[in-house]
Amino acid sequence: MSRINKNVVLALLTLTSSAFLLFQLYYYKHYLSTKNGAGLSKSKGSRIGFDSTQWHAVKKFIMLTSNQNVPVFLIDPLILELINKNFEQVKNTSHGSTTQCKFFCVPRDFTTFALQYHLWKNEEGWFRIAENMGFQCLKIESKDPRLDGIDSLSGTEIPLHYICKLATHAIHLVVFHERSGNYLWHGHLRLKEHIDRKFVPFRKLQFGRYPGAFDRPELQQVTVDGLEVLIPKDPMHFVEEVPHSRFIECRYKEARAFFQQYLDDNTVEAVAFRKSAKELLQLAAKTLNKLGVPFWLSSGTCLGWYRQCNIIPYSKDVDLGIFIQDYKSDIILAFQDAGLPLKHKFGKVEDSLELSFQGKDDVKLDVFFFYEETDHMWNGGTQAKTGKKFKYLFPKFTLCWTEFVDMKVHVPCETLEYIEANYGKNQQGA
């Protein structure tokens, strides 16, 4: 009997000790950890989500670029949108104080950063250090389109994209290059034959499906998920640029062929007209940009860009297109305030509106407004002397950025179809 009592007592003591131990663990987890959360958050693996593959890849990449003084900035649209929604919280977060991974831990294949190439001082050294840190890096190069107009330099290659993979997560580094007109350009991510198509899921990349152009962003430093990063000062402006950033180059090769057949006009009068037309285009662009009215090169100005990468010297005017839904009632006053008096006004807002302004040196600015139908677009025309009205039909088109006379401007992406609607199949002598 005494032996049984001893076993019972031993079992009771064991149960009591286990219960006390469980109570201690529960108290430590639910009370002490809450009370001392800030201190505990610094211990490895204690912050929610901070063991994610994405966060570690981004952290290592930021350490790499920071140590090498490579001023990368975040351009990932998804993360910038999240930051913008929680901007006050992000702005008031100090380095290392974050207790939850909200931005860099969203499950995905890529995180996207950008770099202005002229600020990169040690590209090759950075590449080697990245691989020593465990990254597998892929460099995408292609010819520099800025040199296409210079025969001796045409074909010179420049870096356009880097893909650096750590474990299962990849960093996409988009290389921005400066272009005339004070904007940034990135190239097409075109895979060459020797590149492993299975290296990463390339189809999921948000940048590089086509070349892109962006306003030069002003940057600010913030703390995101405990990491110090640079982001555009106006995150949503950058995000809104992304779907409309497609860029198409002037066709320098075709322009050279055109001038072999038709000699370029370099007379004093032609040079003077091109100078005046360029100044008028710059003034018109500044005025419309201030109003927030998007526009594109139209008619003869668009033909000059497409056919000879320059202003046609005998055109005697500058032609712009604007969608009628972007019309603003103060557009005429804005041009007049800029020193461009109204010369003609044809039609009305509801039908066939066309405006003509007088620039200096007898160079005219014609603004055509485009109307959208179910399967086509059109703009109206009026003969000044007779008042006879015309209707010009165009296949539907979208807008792309391009560079023209040292400016970043829009042209129809479907340029050839647009020009053929204006001038027919053969525009060589137009």
Side-chain angles (χ1 to χ4, degrees), residues 267-286:
T267 61
V268 173
E269 293 78 14
V271 171
F273 170 76
R274 281 181 170 142
K275 180 176 181 294
S276 297
K278 177 181 177 179
E279 291 172 356
L280 178 58
L281 179 57
Q282 290 174 332
L283 181 58
K286 183 179 178 181

Side-chain angles (χ1 to χ4, degrees), residues 251 254-256 258-259 302-310 312 314 419 427-430:
R251 308 181 319 144
E254 289 79 0
R256 284 195 290 270
F258 176 82
F259 287 125
C302 185
L303 176 61
W305 167 80
Y306 181 78
R307 191 177 64 184
Q308 54 214 74
C309 298
N310 209 335
I312 299 173
Y314 53 81
I419 288 172
Q427 327 88 33
Q428 292 298 85

Side-chain angles (χ1 to χ4, degrees), residues 91-146:
K91 197 167 63 173
N92 296 321
T93 301
S94 57
H95 181 58
S97 66
T98 308
T99 58
Q100 186 177 12
C101 187
K102 291 181 61 175
F103 304 97
F104 289 126
C105 296
V106 179
R108 52 220 299 269
D109 297 296
F110 294 93
T111 302
T112 312
F113 288 82
L115 168 76
Q116 295 184 48
Y117 188 64
H118 70 283
L119 300 176
W120 203 350
K121 304 303 180 188
N122 185 24
E123 179 191 349
E124 293 304 322
W126 179 90
F127 197 76
R128 288 193 299 271
I129 294 169
E131 291 183 328
N132 290 337
M133 290 178 69
F135 285 100
Q136 293 176 272
C137 288
L138 180 66
K139 180 181 181 180
I140 310 293
E141 292 182 300
S142 191
K143 67 176 185 176
D144 189 342
R146 297 169 297 181

Side-chain angles (χ1 to χ4, degrees), residues 293 322-332 345 349 353 355 369:
V293 175
I322 295 175
F323 292 121
I324 194 62
Q325 61 264 31
D326 294 320
Y327 171 81
K328 292 188 177 179
S329 58
D330 54 350
I331 195 169
I332 294 175
K345 178 182 179 183
V349 176
L353 182 63
L355 302 176
F369 289 87

Side-chain angles (χ1 to χ4, degrees), residues 143-145 147-157 252 256:
K143 67 176 185 176
D144 189 342
L147 303 176
D148 274 359
I150 308 171
D151 285 333
S152 60
L153 297 176
S154 181
T156 303
E157 293 210 331
Y252 286 107
R256 284 195 290 270

Side-chain angles (χ1 to χ4, degrees), residues 41 46-59 79 82 89 97-107 111 224-227:
S41 68
S46 64
R47 291 182 289 183
I48 301 169
F50 276 68
D51 59 346
S52 76
T53 306
Q54 293 98 299
W55 186 80
H56 281 293
V58 172
K59 179 184 179 183
I79 300 176
L82 290 173
Q89 176 192 337
S97 66
T98 308
T99 58
Q100 186 177 12
C101 187
K102 291 181 61 175
F103 304 97
F104 289 126
C105 296
V106 179
T111 302
V224 180
D225 292 338
L227 305 174

Side-chain angles (χ1 to χ4, degrees), residues 204-363:
K204 294 184 180 180
L205 289 172
Q206 293 174 285
F207 295 83
R209 293 176 190 169
Y210 41 73
F214 291 83
D215 295 337
R216 186 188 299 275
E218 189 179 348
L219 302 177
Q220 63 177 330
Q221 189 172 64
V222 293
T223 299
V224 180
D225 292 338
L227 305 174
E228 289 185 355
V229 294
L230 286 170
I231 66 169
K233 200 163 188 178
D234 185 347
M236 286 314 295
H237 175 72
F238 186 90
V239 170
E240 287 161 4
E241 283 188 279
V242 174
H244 309 290
S245 63
R246 186 175 178 180
F247 184 96
I248 54 179
E249 293 287 348
C250 168
R251 308 181 319 144
Y252 286 107
K253 182 180 177 182
E254 289 79 0
R256 284 195 290 270
F258 176 82
F259 287 125
Q260 285 176 356
Q261 186 174 0
Y262 304 93
L263 291 179
D264 194 8
D265 187 351
N266 289 314
T267 61
V268 173
E269 293 78 14
V271 171
F273 170 76
R274 281 181 170 142
K275 180 176 181 294
S276 297
K278 177 181 177 179
E279 291 172 356
L280 178 58
L281 179 57
Q282 290 174 332
L283 181 58
K286 183 179 178 181
T287 304
L288 291 171
N289 289 338
K290 194 180 291 186
L291 285 174
V293 175
F295 68 94
W296 65 91
L297 305 182
S298 190
S299 303
T301 308
C302 185
L303 176 61
W305 167 80
Y306 181 78
R307 191 177 64 184
Q308 54 214 74
C309 298
N310 209 335
I311 294 166
I312 299 173
Y314 53 81
S315 59
K316 302 305 179 190
D317 56 17
V318 171
D319 302 307
L320 303 181
I322 295 175
F323 292 121
I324 194 62
Q325 61 264 31
D326 294 320
Y327 171 81
K328 292 188 177 179
S329 58
D330 54 350
I331 195 169
I332 294 175
L333 181 61
F335 275 119
Q336 289 176 334
D337 288 345
L340 301 173
L342 182 67
K343 186 174 183 179
H344 296 295
K345 178 182 179 183
F346 300 113
K348 47 191 176 182
V349 176
E350 311 86 63
D351 177 36
S352 307
L353 182 63
E354 179 187 341
L355 302 176
S356 182
F357 299 90
Q358 186 60 60
K360 69 176 185 176
D361 301 324
D362 205 29
V363 183

